[in-house]
Amino acid sequence: MKRIFSCVTFMFVLFLFSITSLKAASMSFSPSNLKKGSQTKLSISGLEESASYSLSYSNGYSSILSVSVNYCGSGTSINKSNSCQIIYSTVGSGTVTVSLIRTSGEGNDTVASAKVTVNGGNNNITTKQTPKTTKQTTKAQTTTTAALKSTNANLSKLVVKDQDGAVLSYTPEFKNDVYEYTVEALSGVEKIQLEPSMEDAKANLVISDNVNEKLKEGQTTKITITVTAEDGITKKAYNINVNKAALNSDATLKSLIISEAMDFKLQNGVYEYTVGIEKNVSALTIKCIPNSETSKCSITGNSNLKNKSVVKVLVTAEDGSKKEYKINISKKSDNVKKITMEDIKDPLIIISLSIVAFALIGGIFYTVKR
């Protein structure tokens, strides 16, 4: 009996623990019933850090609500954890239901929803018919006709931005019946933001989770916008293929100018040069321009220059590739050649000196005789 009691007690405690540890997402409007021209706040809480969420609107929300401040993310995507808020301005009357959809895992599950009513409006069309007065009195009839649900799942506009909000171009030009687009993202673009607009405000759209992922160099990321019409059946998918440029590996120079050597010319594929300068020059005035705007150049050894000094220009590409240009210094005054005993052994030099000597001796004799 004691064992049974212990087991029941343990299971009861475990049940209580599971209930208290359960963390459910929730959302609510405050206020949930208001007049047109006022503001309402949507509070979302209980968001799991490891899960992905998006919002789904119904009942022609764009003609009733307008987002003033979105602290939860961009568009319908939510990139916050735990809790966040969205502030709306009311621009029309009616009732809007907002659903919180968990997009991670298998399928899309609605985990919470909230409703807001502006001026108590609804989407039913009510027609009151009053018959003509006759001898016999006929009661007025009230007819309620439900509007047909739209099958429009088209986008009307698409704006692509980088992580800093700068607008990015894409090809081809947007059309609602074109479903494949390409964005060429430069190496500085880390993430993109999508701002799609729907033709029918009663439709819903979901953007694939990888829109929040960091782009990888040299790879293509395919992001999909899925639009579901009001009827819940008609769907269209717009694909945005983002090509992230690979890091540049060009570590060559486009131009190298040395003010102290006006005749110096940079040659393609040549990385070592000899430059003649005046004796009083102690440093070169160098301007280097890499072929790639993302590459950088640095200069070393350009001080207290002497004959046979070496100035080095190092070019570093965006991907870390490097190329070094060497400039060997030759000071002009140091290049005057002195005649040594080895030079005197040269036959031409001996003959030249002999002629000079004979000329001097002949001149002396001629002067003495006179």
Side-chain angles (χ1 to χ4, degrees):
M1 188 66 181
K2 290 183 178 180
R3 289 185 177 179
I4 295 174
F5 180 76
S6 299
C7 290
V8 171
T9 302
F10 175 75
M11 293 177 66
F12 180 72
V13 172
L14 183 63
F15 174 73
L16 289 178
F17 177 76
S18 64
I19 290 177
T20 56
S21 63
L22 182 63
K23 186 179 182 182
S26 64
M27 58 194 301
S28 63
F29 277 101
S30 176
S32 60
N33 197 318
L34 66 162
K35 294 182 179 180
K36 177 183 175 182
S38 304
Q39 286 192 330
T40 183
K41 177 174 64 178
L42 177 65
S43 299
I44 305 173
S45 61
L47 300 174
E48 299 178 28
E49 293 185 3
S50 59
S52 298
Y53 300 90
S54 65
L55 294 178
S56 174
Y57 295 86
S58 63
N59 298 335
Y61 79 95
S62 64
S63 62
I64 301 172
L65 298 179
S66 175
V67 177
S68 296
V69 183
N70 189 348
Y71 296 106
C72 292
S74 175
T76 59
S77 297
I78 296 178
N79 54 25
K80 302 292 184 181
S81 61
N82 193 16
S83 63
C84 62
Q85 295 177 341
I86 302 176
I87 299 174
Y88 301 88
S89 298
T90 57
V91 295
S93 61
T95 300
V96 175
T97 300
V98 182
S99 299
L100 179 64
I101 300 174
R102 179 171 175 154
T103 56
S104 57
E106 297 182 1
N108 296 333
D109 299 324
T110 300
V111 295
S113 63
K115 184 182 293 184
V116 63
T117 300
V118 182
N119 287 340
N122 57 61
N123 289 329
N124 289 334
I125 302 173
T126 302
T127 306
K128 189 173 182 179
Q129 299 178 344
T130 304
K132 294 181 180 179
T133 303
T134 60
K135 292 181 180 180
Q136 297 179 347
T137 304
T138 304
K139 292 183 179 180
Q141 297 179 348
T142 301
T143 304
T144 301
T145 304
L148 294 176
K149 292 186 177 181
S150 172
T151 60
N152 188 343
N154 290 334
L155 288 180
S156 61
K157 185 180 179 182
L158 176 62
V159 178
V160 182
K161 298 181 178 180
D162 66 9
Q163 71 276 3
D164 299 320
V167 177
L168 302 177
S169 60
Y170 57 83
T171 55
E173 184 179 352
F174 178 79
K175 292 183 179 179
N176 62 6
D177 57 351
V178 176
Y179 307 104
E180 293 285 337
Y181 298 91
T182 300
V183 177
E184 299 295 340
L186 298 178
S187 57
V189 178
E190 297 181 355
K191 291 183 180 180
I192 69 164
Q193 305 176 55
L194 299 180
E195 296 182 1
S197 301
M198 299 178 292
E199 288 186 355
D200 184 3
K202 297 178 181 178
N204 297 319
L205 66 80
V206 176
I207 302 175
S208 57
D209 293 338
N210 59 345
V211 70
N212 296 316
E213 296 177 0
K214 187 175 181 180
L215 301 174
K216 297 180 179 179
E217 286 80 5
Q219 296 187 19
T220 299
T221 301
K222 183 178 181 179
I223 302 171
T224 302
I225 303 172
T226 303
V227 184
T228 303
E230 184 191 13
D231 65 359
I233 300 173
T234 308
K235 294 185 178 182
K236 291 185 179 180
Y238 294 80
N239 297 317
I240 296 87
N241 301 291
V242 184
N243 298 326
K244 175 67 179 291
L247 295 177
N248 195 292
S249 61
D250 189 351
T252 59
L253 286 176
K254 178 181 181 181
S255 173
L256 183 63
I257 300 173
I258 303 174
S259 299
E260 291 75 15
M262 300 302 294
D263 58 345
F264 174 83
K265 290 184 180 180
L266 181 69
Q267 300 178 44
N268 186 30
V270 179
Y271 301 98
E272 187 168 0
Y273 300 86
T274 298
V275 174
I277 60 175
E278 299 296 334
K279 183 178 181 180
N280 61 344
V281 176
S282 60
L284 299 178
T285 305
I286 300 175
K287 182 179 180 181
C288 57
I289 303 175
N291 273 311
S292 172
E293 293 181 355
T294 58
S295 299
K296 298 179 180 179
C297 61
S298 59
I299 302 171
T300 58
N302 189 25
S303 62
N304 299 322
L305 296 180
K306 299 177 182 179
N307 193 44
K308 297 185 179 180
S309 291
V310 179
V311 179
K312 296 179 180 179
V313 179
L314 181 65
V315 183
T316 304
E318 189 179 23
D319 69 345
S321 300
K322 300 177 185 292
K323 275 190 171 58
E324 186 178 74
Y325 292 77
K326 291 183 179 180
I327 303 172
N328 299 308
I329 300 301
S330 174
K331 291 206 169 184
K332 294 181 179 179
S333 58
D334 293 335
N335 291 335
V336 177
K337 189 173 181 180
K338 298 179 181 179
I339 298 176
T340 62
M341 292 302 296
E342 293 294 327
D343 295 329
I344 296 177
K345 294 180 180 179
D346 190 312
L348 291 176
I349 295 177
I350 294 173
I351 294 173
S352 299
L353 291 174
S354 299
I355 293 173
V356 172
F358 281 121
L360 289 172
I361 294 171
I364 292 171
F365 276 113
Y366 176 76
T367 303
V368 171
K369 286 181 178 181
R370 287 186 63 184

